[in-house]
């Protein structure tokens, strides 16, 4: 495996680890926030973090050019993936268990990998296909403990459906990001530069924030913000700075260095991380099913990532 590919996997694993805490954080602050306020702070704070980084590294020129040259890419990505998709995801998470939400969201590699293989001519083989399916089985084993009907329990069915549709819309953001980072920004007739993950994430975060602002006037959302406790503010800042600002840039930086249909399957680590964190945060004892699921996940990742 090339050094660049290894680095790409490293970036994605760290990014996905930060994302594995999203559902837990949402569950902890759900009674004092709302899906709109939660996502507004996620992406506005994330945008500030990335903008500061762009200013420090003197990369704002590419940001301005991207805004001018590719609105047909970043506006749909923001609206569908980061606004509608993430609102549905946040609502769904409040109506189901965090572990169920993490599992359903982690099924996105199937959608993205199939899209990239079928419509973007990425390499396909039996090992990759088996690995994708096996990875999803591993996720189900960890959460359902072989009681697969539990995930369709009537108490959680609405939440599970909302999380699934939110995840499906978020996949659009990932796919558009991958495609946009293949293009170049035209500086002059003789000079252009490559679009990278920072450019894409910063523009979509800014666009999403602007879309969320008018939504804050809906159903007394501003009043909810004024009633935030200090624990809610900590949760909001954590979601914005760590899971959004840091997590997104690492994820897209990594996926830009490897095949999307391979790298995206590292998402199967997310429920494993979430389960382990639940043990320390929620005092949930790990079971033999967790160990079985981890073994299945490792086998699936080896099938998908080994050359």
């Amino acid at each position: 495996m090339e050094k660049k590919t290894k680095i790409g996997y490293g970036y994605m694993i760290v990014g996905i680890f930060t994302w594995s805490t999203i559902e837990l954080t949402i569950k902890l602050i759900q009674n004092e926030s709302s899906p709109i306020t939660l996502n507004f702070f996620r992406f506005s704070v994330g945008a500030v973090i990335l903008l500061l980084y762009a200013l420090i590294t003197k990369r704002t020129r590419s940001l301005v050019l991207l805004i001018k040259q590719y609105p047909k890419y970043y506006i749909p990505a923001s609206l569908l993936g980061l606004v509608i998709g993430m609102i549905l995801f946040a609502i769904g998470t409040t109506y189901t268990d965090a572990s169920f939400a993490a599992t359903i969201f982690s099924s996105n590699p199937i959608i993205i990998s199939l899209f990239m293989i079928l419509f973007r001519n990425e390499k396909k083989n039996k090992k990759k296909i088996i690995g994708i399916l096996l990875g999803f089985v591993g996720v189900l084993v960890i959460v359902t403990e072989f009681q697969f009907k539990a995930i369709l329990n009537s108490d959680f069915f609405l939440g599970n459906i909302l999380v699934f549709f939110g995840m499906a819309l978020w996949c659009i953001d990932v796919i558009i990001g991958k495609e946009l980072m293949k293009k170049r920004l035209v500086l002059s007739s003789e000079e252009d530069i490559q679009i990278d993950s920072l450019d894409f994430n910063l523009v979509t975060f800014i666009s999403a924030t602007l879309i969320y602002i008018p939504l804050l006037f809906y159903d007394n959302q501003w009043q909810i913000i004024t009633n935030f406790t200090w624990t809610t503010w900590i949760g909001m800042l954590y979601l914005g700075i760590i899971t959004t600002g840091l997590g997104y840039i690492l994820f897209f930086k990594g996926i830009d260095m490897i095949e999307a249909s391979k790298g995206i399957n590292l998402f199967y680590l997310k429920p494993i991380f979430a389960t382990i964190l639940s043990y320390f945060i929620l005092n949930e004892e790990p079971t033999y099913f967790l160990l079985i699921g981890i073994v299945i996940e490792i086998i699936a990742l080896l099938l998908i990532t080994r050359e």
Side-chain angles (χ1 to χ4, degrees), residues 1-2 5 8-9 12-13 16 108-110 112-114 116-117 122-125 127-129 131-132 178 251 254-255 257-269 300-307:
M1 186 182 294
E2 296 181 0
T5 302
Y9 283 130
M12 292 190 69
I13 289 172
I16 290 169
N108 72 78
I110 294 176
I112 296 175
S113 295
L114 288 177
M116 300 305 290
I117 290 173
E122 285 199 355
K123 291 184 293 184
K124 58 182 177 180
N125 54 55
K127 285 200 307 178
K128 185 183 291 186
I129 294 173
I132 291 171
K178 180 68 176 177
F251 177 80
I255 205 172
M257 301 171 73
I258 56 181
E259 288 183 26
S261 59
K262 283 187 177 181
I264 195 64
N265 288 282
L266 290 177
F267 230 102
Y268 289 129
L269 292 172
L301 291 171
L302 288 175
L303 285 173
I304 293 165
T305 60
R306 285 180 66 85
E307 300 295 339

Side-chain angles (χ1 to χ4, degrees), residues 247-260:
Y248 265 74
I249 192 169
L250 289 176
F251 177 80
F252 276 101
K253 190 174 182 65
I255 205 172
D256 194 35
M257 301 171 73
I258 56 181
E259 288 183 26

Side-chain angles (χ1 to χ4, degrees), residues 208-227:
T209 299
L210 294 175
I211 296 172
Y212 275 113
I213 289 175
L215 295 180
L216 292 175
F217 293 95
Y218 170 75
D219 197 27
N220 248 353
Q221 297 296 311
W222 283 109
Q223 186 65 36
I224 295 176
I225 296 175
T226 60
N227 292 326

Side-chain angles (χ1 to χ4, degrees), residues 24-85:
L24 291 173
T25 307
I26 290 175
K27 296 295 286 186
L28 289 172
I29 65 175
Q30 67 181 20
N31 293 330
E32 299 175 354
S33 61
S34 71
I36 292 176
T37 58
L38 187 149
N39 283 296
F40 168 73
F41 281 104
R42 273 193 67 189
F43 294 112
S44 61
V45 173
V48 170
I49 298 299
L50 297 189
L51 182 58
L52 289 174
Y53 178 78
L55 290 171
I56 293 171
T57 55
K58 300 179 179 180
R59 299 175 58 177
T60 52
R61 186 181 185 187
S62 60
L63 170 64
V64 174
L65 290 173
L66 178 55
I67 291 174
K68 290 181 178 180
Q69 295 177 16
Y70 292 104
K72 66 179 182 180
Y73 284 86
Y74 65 78
I75 292 178
S78 304
L79 178 61
L80 296 176
L82 302 187
V83 179
I84 300 176

